[in-house]
Amino acid sequence: MSAALEHFVNNVRTQSASGNFRELADSCNQTALVLAKNTNYLDNVLETLDFQQHSLGVLYVLVAKFNNLTGTPEEADSIISLVREFISICNGEQIRFSPQTFGELCHLFTDYLVKHQIPCIQGIPILAQAIDKIRLFDTQLTAIHADLCQLSFCAKVFTPVLKFLDTDITAIASTEDSNHDAKYFLLYYYYGGMIYTAVHNYERALYFFEVAVSTPALAMSHIMLESYKKFLLVSLILHGKIMPIPKYSSQVITRFMKPLSHAYHELANAYATASSEETRNIINKYRETYRNDNNLGLVQQVARSLCKKNIQRLTKTFLTLSLADVASRVQLSGPAEAEEYILNMIKSGEIFASINQKDGMVVFKDDPEKYDSPDMFLKVQDDMARVMELNKQIIKMEEEIMLNLLYVKKSIGNQDEDLISGHSKSFVGDPSE
């Protein structure tokens, strides 16, 4: 082991024993280059440090270790085991003195699994535990949330991440690198939106894509552009039209995103005609564009949602209708496809109807829910409790803003400007009057 590495180890032990974690984090940042140049000896360094007592030092060693990995099966097992052990027993108080480096470790770990096509499911419980280690409370968003969502989406395993996504965010953990903070903020809402789309929770997916699109920005981000395209598609599936973007959104959307999403706006225009044939023509016209954007599957769901909405329109006009008539009016291939659509919609509660198999007739019915059952009463109570809790959070956040020093200074400055402008206006005019 070189003298520089020995000095690093001694410094980590001394500073950790003294509880000088701020100074230790600063010195580790300065010696990161030394660790990167001595990757062959990092295993020896790890053997001399305790994962719990010297968590900050071990953190920097593990980050440096990722710079010399090749992706062999033996190496993969070793690094996954190391990261799992470290995150499991590391001292949360220590690593919070260097949240950016802890986040970098999780980013490198995620990239390593994805790049070398190692089963991403192995990393999901590790990153879930990492989030619990670094965040101060459940509603705080960290940069690691985006990594967890990425692994979950790649592995097509959504249940472990849904408990994180279902928690509404009230605070964001920031680091010294604001550019990376913004990147992983956008990635969290982008991957979260795709996960909700995959589990058919379109309302929540639309919200996540909306947050990504409406984030204040001076330049267009590729993440925002892809979120915008999916926002358009999910809007059509959920509401049958493009929902308006919040007014506080950046001008980047109208200036750049809309022209770059021409194929999706064409699809929306065809959807608005309620013609399945015209919608299919647009899909065939821009099929390669949708495929290159990895949105072809979602576009096909848009086409199916139009057929469903057209069937729902029939329920408002007719009481009974033959399957052949349904197929003709909705522009389906035949009675068999119409029956399949109707059965699926009955099962999902999108319509209320019954099919007479003998004569092939569909009888449309009213919603049987009378809103007087105990289950419905409990649901209303839960919804009211959720709204009241949300109101408490809004009041608390408003109080924090009102007491924020920067906000107070800006408010006083604006008031002074108003007084000066008002005072000067009173003297505008002919001085002789």
Side-chain angles (χ1 to χ4, degrees):
M1 191 185 300
S2 66
L5 288 180
E6 287 183 2
H7 175 72
F8 169 78
V9 171
N10 292 332
N11 184 49
V12 168
R13 286 176 169 174
T14 303
Q15 298 283 22
S16 297
S18 304
N20 300 324
F21 300 119
R22 174 57 61 196
E23 292 80 359
L24 178 58
D26 293 338
S27 64
C28 285
N29 282 323
Q30 296 171 5
T31 56
L33 188 60
V34 173
L35 295 174
K37 289 181 178 179
N38 293 274
T39 53
N40 293 332
Y41 303 101
L42 294 181
D43 286 336
N44 296 334
V45 174
L46 287 175
E47 290 176 1
T48 63
L49 297 175
D50 184 270
F51 279 22
Q52 187 172 40
Q53 294 180 19
H54 312 124
S55 296
L56 261 179
V58 174
L59 171 61
Y60 281 85
V61 173
L62 288 177
V63 169
K65 193 172 176 61
F66 269 97
N67 295 324
N68 194 33
L69 298 179
T70 58
T72 62
E74 297 79 10
E75 175 195 80
D77 292 340
S78 174
I79 195 66
I80 291 173
S81 177
L82 270 176
V83 174
R84 181 188 293 114
E85 182 183 359
F86 171 71
I87 290 178
S88 175
I89 65 177
C90 69
N91 188 308
E93 182 183 352
Q94 286 191 36
I95 61 174
R96 289 194 189 99
F97 282 93
S98 188
Q100 185 172 336
T101 308
F102 188 69
E104 184 182 356
L105 173 65
C106 295
H107 303 329
L108 290 169
F109 178 64
T110 301
D111 293 342
Y112 178 79
L113 294 181
V114 175
K115 179 181 177 181
H116 297 289
Q117 298 181 343
I118 299 168
C120 293
I121 192 172
Q122 297 184 59
I124 293 175
I126 297 174
L127 292 189
Q129 192 170 23
I131 292 173
D132 290 333
K133 283 276 185 178
I134 196 68
R135 66 180 176 181
L136 298 175
F137 43 88
D138 289 347
T139 58
Q140 185 182 45
L141 177 65
T142 71
I144 308 170
H145 279 75
D147 295 320
L148 176 63
C149 291
Q150 182 182 358
L151 292 185
S152 175
F153 186 77
C154 291
K156 301 295 184 289
V157 178
F158 306 127
T159 303
V161 78
L162 285 176
K163 71 173 184 178
F164 293 95
L165 293 173
D166 290 341
T167 303
D168 290 322
I169 301 301
T170 61
I172 302 171
S174 59
T175 64
E176 298 173 359
D177 192 339
S178 58
N179 290 329
H180 273 74
D181 288 344
K183 172 187 173 182
Y184 289 107
F185 174 87
L186 291 174
L187 282 174
Y188 168 72
Y189 281 99
Y190 174 67
Y191 282 124
M194 291 202 294
I195 290 171
Y196 275 125
T197 302
V199 298
H200 297 168
N201 188 344
Y202 296 118
E203 187 172 351
R204 190 74 173 167
L206 187 66
Y207 166 71
F208 268 61
F209 290 134
E210 180 186 293
V211 172
V213 168
S214 59
T215 299
L218 298 177
M220 188 187 71
S221 160
H222 189 68
I223 303 170
M224 294 176 71
L225 176 60
E226 294 306 309
S227 297
Y228 180 68
K229 293 174 181 178
K230 289 178 171 59
F231 174 85
L232 299 178
L233 296 176
V234 176
S235 288
L236 294 176
I237 293 173
L238 187 61
H239 298 288
K241 61 181 180 180
I242 296 178
M243 299 304 292
I245 299 292
K247 293 182 179 179
Y248 54 79
S249 301
S250 171
Q251 292 298 318
V252 170
I253 296 174
T254 54
R255 193 174 302 170
F256 298 108
M257 291 190 188
K258 287 186 178 179
L260 292 171
S261 308
H262 176 70
Y264 297 87
H265 284 280
E266 284 277 309
L267 178 63
N269 293 335
Y271 195 102
T273 64
S275 170
S276 297
E277 183 178 356
E278 188 170 342
T279 302
R280 283 193 289 267
N281 290 338
I282 292 295
I283 293 174
N284 291 330
K285 180 180 178 181
Y286 295 105
R287 182 174 292 273
E288 283 305 310
T289 300
Y290 301 139
R291 181 180 283 112
N292 292 336
D293 290 342
N294 293 319
N295 284 332
L296 185 58
L298 198 54
V299 167
Q300 290 171 342
Q301 290 185 50
V302 170
R304 288 194 291 271
S305 75
L306 177 58
C307 293
K308 290 182 177 181
K309 282 183 168 46
N310 285 338
I311 291 174
Q312 287 175 329
R313 291 189 185 101
L314 294 178
T315 66
K316 299 177 182 179
T317 308
F318 301 95
L319 290 176
T320 59
L321 206 61
S322 68
L323 289 172
D325 283 339
V326 172
S328 174
R329 292 174 184 274
V330 182
Q331 297 175 335
L332 298 175
S333 60
E337 187 178 7
E339 183 178 4
E340 182 182 354
Y341 265 96
I342 292 172
L343 288 174
N344 288 332
M345 293 177 72
I346 293 172
K347 185 178 180 180
S348 61
E350 294 172 272
I351 62 171
F352 303 96
S354 61
I355 300 176
N356 189 326
Q357 297 290 347
K358 291 182 179 180
D359 52 14
M361 296 295 291
V362 183
V363 179
F364 298 116
K365 302 176 181 179
D366 294 329
D367 186 352
E369 179 61 62
K370 302 300 181 183
Y371 299 96
D372 56 358
S373 65
D375 290 341
M376 183 55 65
F377 177 73
L378 290 174
K379 183 179 183 305
V380 172
Q381 275 193 320
D382 290 342
D383 290 344
M384 290 175 63
R386 195 177 299 113
V387 170
M388 291 171 68
E389 182 61 31
L390 180 61
N391 185 55
K392 289 180 182 177
Q393 291 182 7
I394 292 173
I395 293 173
K396 181 182 177 182
M397 294 171 71
E398 186 177 13
E399 289 175 351
E400 291 175 354
I401 292 173
M402 296 293 288
L403 296 173
N404 185 283
L405 186 60
L406 293 174
Y407 174 80
V408 172
K409 286 182 178 179
K410 190 171 183 180
S411 298
I412 294 175
N414 291 338
Q415 289 176 11
D416 291 343
E417 290 176 5
D418 291 341
L419 287 173
I420 293 171
S421 61
H423 187 64
S424 62
K425 286 178 183 177
S426 64
F427 290 98
V428 173
D430 189 349
S432 63
E433 292 180 356

